[in-house]
Amino acid sequence: MARRSALSIRIVEGRNLPAKDITGSSDPYCIVKIDDEAIIRTATVWKTLSPFWGEEYEVQLQPGFHSISIYVMDEDALSRDDIIGKVCITRDMLADHPKGYSGWMSLSEVDPDEEVQGEIHLRVEVLGTQGGRRLRCSVLEARDLARKDRNGASDPFVRLRYNGKTQESTVVKKSCYPRWNETFEFELAEPAGEKLCVEVWDWDLVGRNDFLGKVVFSIQGLEAAGQEEGWFRLWPDKSKPAEDERRGSLGSLQLQVKLRDETVLPSHCYQPLVQLLCQEVKSGRQDGQVHLVTLLDETTTAECRQEVAINLVKLFLGQGLVKEFLDLLFELELAKPCEPNTLFRSNSLASKSMESFLKVTGMPYLHFVLGPTITRVFEEKKYVELDPGKVEIKDVGCSGLHRVQTEGEVIEQGRQHLQSYLGELLDAIVRSAPACPPVIRAAFRQLFQRVGERFPQHQHAKFVAVTSFLCLRFFSPAVMTPKLFQLRDAHADSRTSRTLLLLAKAIQLVGNMEPAAGRAKETWLSPLLPALQQGTARMRDFITRLVGTEEDQGREEGEGRPLGPPPAAVKEGLLLVHKTRGKGPPLAAAAGKKLHFCLTGESLSFGKSPGAERIGAIALGDILAAEKVEEKSFGSSHVMQVVYMAPGGQQETAYLQCKCVNELNQWLSALRKACGNNPRVLRSYHPGVFRGDKWSCCHQRDRTGLGCDRTRHGVTLQDWSDPLDPTVEAQRLFQHLHSLRETLREKYWELLEPEDAQNGPRGEDAALPEGLSRLLAVLGDLESCHRRARPAEPPAPALLQLQT
């Protein structure tokens, strides 16, 4: 049994942001922090006060998650980026919205006294002596304090206040992981109504000290226990009056956030549910009966249909039944009253499942097909416009011979550029049939056959059914917003974005297989009509090859054509190697150089370039931790450390610098997922480096001693390419189905034939079909398992934390 916490967050857009640049606009991006640790940086949207991001992430969290903060920043090339404002969402707020929070949230001003983080280790006790009772507080250490100084650290000290008296600890210089081991005593007030306040401050030689956080304790509960010791989270100073006059004037963010706390039972507990779902898929559609998949489709709301579709696709991929599952969805969808020209255009479970299936299984194929053209568009930055209402007339010609282009010339030039991009993209698509994953080709083959059987008089419909998924839901969205499909690291500028939009429209028209119909809606696309007609014919030939028989597919693969990209590594890229201790580690000779690192299912290897011979490798089983490094250690906040066991049996550390926070967290996530089952992983680590005779983080002099901070193996970024985890998918399907138990029963009676519904009983004791009856029984059994596995509520601590 495992406890898991996952956070899904979608940053949609912003509006009414304040202008930070002299141009009267801003260049906004977002930083997402989980408990004050930066996890995600969105792309910058240039020169706008109403940016659209549309970026979606899922983060696997450590136990004890408290809050998520989204900072909106203005990027500045000449100085430090400006903070526009932030939105903070606590765990309690998300608990009040179990189905997730979705909506606009106003940005609030960032108060330095609220930007606190970290924990402090304290021991508090009540002592009874002949001279009277005393309160003793031992200040042991702290970890992960906020960085307030320019050197990337702080100079922390502790101030204790009780019953009108104040005491202070010594100052620990240049450390966010200080160790004090100092004890302070106060005479205990009678009655014990006063509170003990423990504050952490950053000492400054010039100017005021910076506040680092505080903990406030009630003493009454302590008297019964006598002593309490533990790590306590530092909280901001809430004693100052709130200043809300600027709230709303900083703009707002549209967010979709959902926290999923779940208990995942051992895999055998889900076998009855998995077996039942597999049996339903294998049995197929039966006339006169209401299928479980139909019930699921009819009872799942539009808000969560995408998530349910992903869970089902991954579950059946793991069971080897995804083709059968999709075929059942096609058959059930085609059994409904429908028109051949509008097939699969709605957001039904069938449409969402096929869309999710393409993303889960076809992302390398998508990159292989679209990558070169998308890169060309971004690099050339050609001006492309066909709409006369949006054409910008420019001066052209050499110096002294300027003339103004006519509107027709601009449109003709744009048509040539767009037709060139479209032709290159269609060439890549047409050649890609052998490179398309066999499981995708098999799914399209089934769809093609089902639609042909359903509409024998409209053979055109079966081609449109395939392109409605491949072009309209896969290729076209990726062309329009390549950042969201990991084709680019950043969003396009306005000119490139317009080119991509027009190219995506062209792909949609080709996918509709009727370009004349699209031209009727936007007549200014008429200059592109010959290319669209030619593209439609080429797309029809491509679909014919794509859905060819398995024998045809085998012959294609034997023709010697390139079959697509080589098997992709888990993660690869150039990283800067920082100096390590001694000459033994394989990376010691590469200090100060950039090497190409490649993470596979076996090792983390490195070489001088992507195609060069590997210089060395670290086996995954030897990796003990993958963590961040303090900014002050190497002057960069984008350095990670990989702690591993060297061949000689000694523990070594490689310090590798990434180019940005996103790349840093992607590498950490990939390494943590790859080494998640390593039994030798460390539970603590040093976020600094060992220089001279001590650690730069906590100033310990024992190089082999325990780390001063806990490792974060559980924090990972979820991705389409993550390995299948059928147990987790089954757990999420159980949660969804369990919430629909009564709705499933009611929908079943509603979907029955009218005469059957009128003649049969419809109460709690009414006879249900075997599949639905078994499903309700399985859900009941799983609920019982969860109740037995649910841990008992821990007793309330004697030492009660109270925030003033």
Side-chain angles (χ1 to χ4, degrees), residues 459-601:
Q459 288 300 301
H460 181 69
K462 58 187 181 183
F463 289 92
V464 177
V466 174
T467 57
S468 67
F469 287 117
L470 191 61
C471 293
L472 274 64
R473 292 178 180 261
F474 199 40
F475 288 156
S476 184
V479 170
M480 191 180 306
T481 52
K483 169 71 169 66
L484 304 186
F485 287 77
Q486 301 172 1
L487 282 159
R488 303 293 295 183
D489 291 333
H491 290 297
D493 57 35
S494 57
R495 171 177 288 191
T496 304
S497 180
R498 179 62 179 172
T499 303
L500 293 173
L501 175 61
L502 293 173
L503 183 57
K505 282 180 177 289
I507 293 297
Q508 287 177 349
L509 291 174
V510 171
N512 286 332
M513 309 296 284
E514 293 181 1
R519 183 170 57 87
K521 297 177 183 177
E522 296 172 322
T523 56
W524 46 267
L525 284 171
S526 56
L528 206 61
L529 183 59
L532 294 176
Q533 291 174 334
Q534 183 182 9
T536 299
R538 298 186 70 191
M539 184 63 68
R540 190 181 184 94
D541 293 339
F542 165 69
I543 298 300
T544 302
R545 292 182 60 199
L546 187 72
V547 301
T549 64
E550 295 183 8
E551 290 77 11
D552 293 337
Q553 180 179 337
R555 284 196 295 271
E556 285 179 353
E557 294 176 353
E559 291 176 0
R561 295 189 180 95
L563 298 183
V570 176
K571 178 72 178 171
E572 59 181 328
L574 288 173
L575 300 173
L576 175 66
V577 181
H578 283 284
K579 184 178 181 181
T580 55
R581 182 188 66 89
K583 299 181 180 180
L587 285 166
K593 299 179 181 179
K594 279 190 175 182
L595 296 180
H596 181 269
F597 284 79
C598 181
L599 177 65
T600 66

Side-chain angles (χ1 to χ4, degrees), residues 357-396:
F357 166 71
L358 289 174
K359 290 181 179 178
V360 171
T361 60
M363 291 298 274
Y365 169 67
L366 179 81
H367 285 218
F368 171 69
V369 174
L370 302 186
T373 304
I374 298 298
T375 299
R376 181 186 164 198
V377 172
F378 269 79
E379 291 177 349
E380 292 184 351
K381 296 186 182 301
K382 299 288 188 181
Y383 179 71
V384 177
E385 186 55 75
L386 301 183
D387 186 351
K390 297 182 178 180
V391 167
E392 298 176 4
I393 305 299
K394 301 178 295 181
D395 289 343
V396 296

Side-chain angles (χ1 to χ4, degrees), residues 63-269:
F65 154 74
H66 291 90
S67 64
I68 172 175
S69 299
I70 302 101
Y71 293 76
V72 181
M73 312 288 293
D74 170 54
E75 185 167 331
D76 196 325
L78 301 178
S79 60
R80 297 191 66 175
D81 296 348
D82 297 319
I83 301 177
I84 296 176
K86 77 169 185 176
V87 167
C88 185
I89 303 173
T90 66
R91 190 185 193 111
D92 292 338
M93 292 170 62
L94 292 175
D96 295 336
H97 298 82
K99 293 186 178 180
Y101 175 84
S102 179
W104 289 91
M105 298 188 72
S106 295
L107 293 172
S108 59
E109 193 170 12
V110 175
D111 183 348
D113 285 349
E114 292 188 10
E115 300 304 295
V116 304
Q117 66 184 60
E119 299 170 304
I120 186 168
H121 188 188
L122 302 171
R123 181 170 59 247
V124 188
E125 53 191 330
V126 173
L127 304 175
T129 64
Q130 294 180 353
R133 296 195 304 161
R134 301 183 67 80
L135 174 64
R136 174 182 292 174
C137 180
S138 298
V139 180
L140 305 177
E141 56 187 324
R143 61 190 180 195
D144 196 25
L145 300 179
R147 284 83 174 152
K148 294 292 185 178
D149 297 339
R150 297 182 66 181
N151 59 16
S154 290
D155 303 321
F157 70 94
V158 177
R159 179 179 295 159
L160 298 94
R161 293 188 286 109
Y162 177 72
N163 198 24
K165 296 183 179 180
T166 301
Q167 299 187 56
E168 292 184 356
S169 73
T170 57
V171 177
V172 179
K173 294 293 187 67
K174 298 180 182 179
S175 177
C176 294
Y177 295 82
R179 297 194 171 205
W180 291 284
N181 291 319
E182 298 181 29
T183 300
F184 305 88
E185 291 189 1
F186 298 90
E187 291 185 5
L188 193 65
E190 299 291 350
E194 289 290 326
K195 294 169 184 163
L196 171 66
C197 181
V198 182
E199 300 174 343
V200 186
W201 293 81
D202 168 48
W203 177 83
D204 282 329
L205 178 63
V206 179
R208 64 183 292 269
N209 297 330
D210 298 312
F211 181 71
L212 296 178
K214 70 176 182 178
V215 187
V216 180
F217 296 115
S218 167
I219 305 303
Q220 294 175 339
L222 177 65
E223 293 185 299
Q227 175 179 310
E228 282 290 332
E229 180 180 346
W231 284 94
F232 299 95
R233 178 176 171 79
L234 292 169
W235 294 92
D237 185 4
K238 297 292 187 180
S239 60
K240 298 187 302 182
E243 298 181 1
D244 292 335
E245 59 269 14
R246 293 205 64 188
R247 184 178 292 275
S249 66
L250 299 176
S252 55
L253 282 181
Q254 186 182 9
L255 304 170
Q256 296 172 4
V257 187
K258 182 178 181 180
L259 177 65
R260 183 186 293 110
D261 281 322
E262 54 196 6
T263 301
V264 181
L265 301 173
S267 58
H268 65 84
C269 297

